[in-house]
Amino acid sequence: MNPTKVRLDKLLSSLGYCSRKKVATLLREGIITHTENLPLKSDTKVAHDEVYFEGEPLDPSQGMVILMHKPTGLICSHDDGEGKLVYDLLPPRWRVRDPKISTVGRLDKETSGLLLLTDDGTLLHRLTSPRHHVAKIYEATLDRALNGNEAEIFASGTLMLNGEKTPCLPAKLTIIDETHVTLEITEGRYHQVRRMFAAVGNHVTALHRCSFGDLTLGDLKEGEYRILDREKIS
Ligand code: URA
């Protein structure tokens, strides 16, 4: 099957490289080239992998999924009035891609760990839909020693969070020691893990997401990210 061809200026502006207008100048300067050295104009119809920018292949096309190791202190928001953003860890031109890259759900500012980002609206909707019960595992450090009944309460499917109308779905608590646990949940309610521990009289002092479905961080260090194969996302 032939790859989809689009106008060169449209392709480059959608990937955030430059405005459509700027393409003519960058062609003259030799910054944008054809992989086979064929002549290009702003309106030439090209396939994504036929074009080099500064001698390099283009960034991935639309449908990109990014796995990031979010450090604490960064915010999952597009509004940079609020502080340093997770998007600041990505190349600046990715901020102006169209369609826009968004986080798949959110991690709190003070939560670290596995964060997915994508520009694929359908995938985003599917992974964040309350009907799609993707399992997420968190490591939590607690302020106070466990009482001993938390695993049963979390597994019961009856725990009510402050201000909510329905109980949390059953969640699996694994005890590491009296102030360290992992918790597997299949929902994504606002501040869910912190609020579940608050509901049993404890307080989370550190929170880290170690997995999302089958995905883990592997050897990815804090602040690093990698592009995922689309097939890996179920
Ligand atoms: N639960 C929380 O309390 N915070 C997160 O960031 C994610 C889950």
Side-chain angles (χ1 to χ4, degrees):
M1 204 175 74
N2 282 336
T4 322
K5 297 207 174 204
V6 289
R7 278 178 63 122
L8 179 65
D9 53 1
K10 185 161 186 261
L11 174 69
L12 290 170
S13 76
S14 71
L15 295 175
Y17 282 93
C18 56
S19 66
R20 289 175 77 147
K21 243 171 114 181
K22 188 88 195 285
V23 170
T25 314
L26 297 180
L27 281 168
R28 271 198 306 280
E29 291 171 352
I31 288 172
I32 302 163
T33 50
H34 189 280
T35 49
E36 308 283 334
N37 282 325
L38 297 181
L40 287 172
K41 289 196 291 170
S42 293
D43 62 356
T44 309
K45 294 243 171 129
V46 289
H48 177 271
D49 57 6
E50 274 180 289
V51 180
Y52 282 156
F53 194 93
E54 291 178 330
E56 299 288 333
L58 298 182
D59 295 335
S61 52
Q62 185 191 348
M64 170 157 78
V65 184
I66 302 159
L67 187 152
M68 178 184 283
H69 186 161
K70 176 192 177 295
T72 57
L74 268 63
I75 302 162
C76 294
S77 158
H78 282 108
D79 179 1
D80 48 14
E82 295 178 35
K84 197 163 155 51
L85 311 179
V86 291
Y87 302 102
D88 295 336
L89 297 175
L90 304 175
R93 65 172 171 263
W94 291 12
R95 290 284 288 277
V96 288
R97 280 174 65 114
D98 179 19
K100 198 171 173 148
I101 298 173
S102 298
T103 61
V104 176
R106 290 183 174 210
L107 290 178
D108 309 335
K109 184 174 180 185
E110 293 317 325
T111 301
S112 60
L114 194 159
L115 180 68
L116 290 180
L117 301 100
T118 186
D119 59 355
D120 180 335
T122 310
L123 180 72
L124 180 70
H125 188 259
R126 184 159 64 78
L127 293 178
T128 53
S129 151
R131 281 186 299 280
H132 191 86
H133 292 154
V134 48
K136 287 149 285 215
I137 301 180
Y138 293 85
E139 289 167 359
T141 306
L142 306 171
D143 198 24
R144 287 181 279 284
L146 292 161
N147 292 322
N149 58 357
E150 293 86 348
E152 196 184 330
I153 296 173
F154 291 168
S156 69
T158 60
L159 181 71
M160 291 297 293
L161 299 181
N162 229 344
E164 302 244 350
K165 292 199 175 69
T166 55
C168 292
L169 289 177
K172 186 175 166 206
L173 185 75
T174 305
I175 298 171
I176 300 166
D177 63 39
E178 59 181 15
T179 54
H180 293 95
V181 295
T182 67
L183 182 64
E184 179 176 328
I185 59 174
T186 57
E187 303 171 279
R189 301 187 192 208
Y190 180 67
H191 290 184
Q192 182 164 347
V193 176
R194 293 176 197 274
R195 289 165 70 215
M196 286 175 74
F197 280 100
V200 293
N202 213 322
H203 175 72
V204 171
T205 55
L207 190 60
H208 175 84
R209 179 155 74 190
C210 35
S211 68
F212 186 105
D214 294 337
L215 300 170
T216 58
L217 286 167
D219 52 13
L220 206 60
K221 304 217 172 34
E222 275 206 357
E224 291 182 346
Y225 64 89
R226 63 188 167 83
I227 313 280
L228 290 185
D229 289 346
R230 251 325 269 279
E231 298 74 49
K232 297 243 165 75
I233 322 283
S234 47

